[in-house]
Amino acid sequence: MNKGELVDAIANKTGVTKKQADAILTAALEAIIEAVANGDKVTVVGFGSFDPRDRAAREGRNPKTNEKMDIPATRVPGFSAGKAFKEKVAGNLEESKVAA
């Protein structure tokens, strides 16, 4: 599912126009991105949590030349799925195993 399909699904479930659904989704995503970029954790109960994660500096290797290289420390966004989300996905996996 891409953003356009997600906007369509939101519009169908809520009864708002696609333009309104797109504006709401865009605003929500921008708010999450801004909060995580500022070092805050964003928790959506039942869905999951977004948070900044620090990666330590480490040594890597160039796969072509096998030459050692230093990879600097960095901060990356992280996501942890919530309990309800995990259970829904796991339930769908079990249902597809039964159908097969």
Side-chain angles (χ1 to χ4, degrees):
M1 175 180 276
N2 61 30
K3 184 179 178 187
E5 293 166 340
L6 183 57
V7 167
D8 291 344
I10 292 169
N12 289 335
K13 286 189 180 233
T14 61
V16 299
T17 66
K18 288 182 184 180
K19 187 174 182 178
Q20 291 169 325
D22 183 42
I24 292 166
L25 178 61
T26 300
L29 295 176
E30 287 174 355
I32 292 169
I33 291 168
E34 188 173 318
V36 173
N38 289 331
D40 296 329
K41 181 176 182 177
V42 178
T43 302
V44 181
V45 176
F47 182 70
S49 299
F50 300 88
D51 59 345
R53 297 182 183 168
D54 293 323
R55 286 195 182 156
R58 62 195 190 279
E59 188 177 89
R61 291 192 179 270
N62 181 328
K64 278 188 174 180
T65 63
N66 206 26
E67 179 184 340
K68 289 183 182 181
M69 55 190 287
D70 291 325
I71 300 171
T74 187
R75 178 172 276 180
V76 296
F79 175 75
S80 297
K83 183 180 177 187
F85 190 0
K86 288 179 187 177
E87 289 174 354
K88 180 74 172 176
V89 172
N92 287 344
L93 181 61
E94 292 170 7
E95 290 171 11
S96 60
K97 284 184 180 178
V98 172

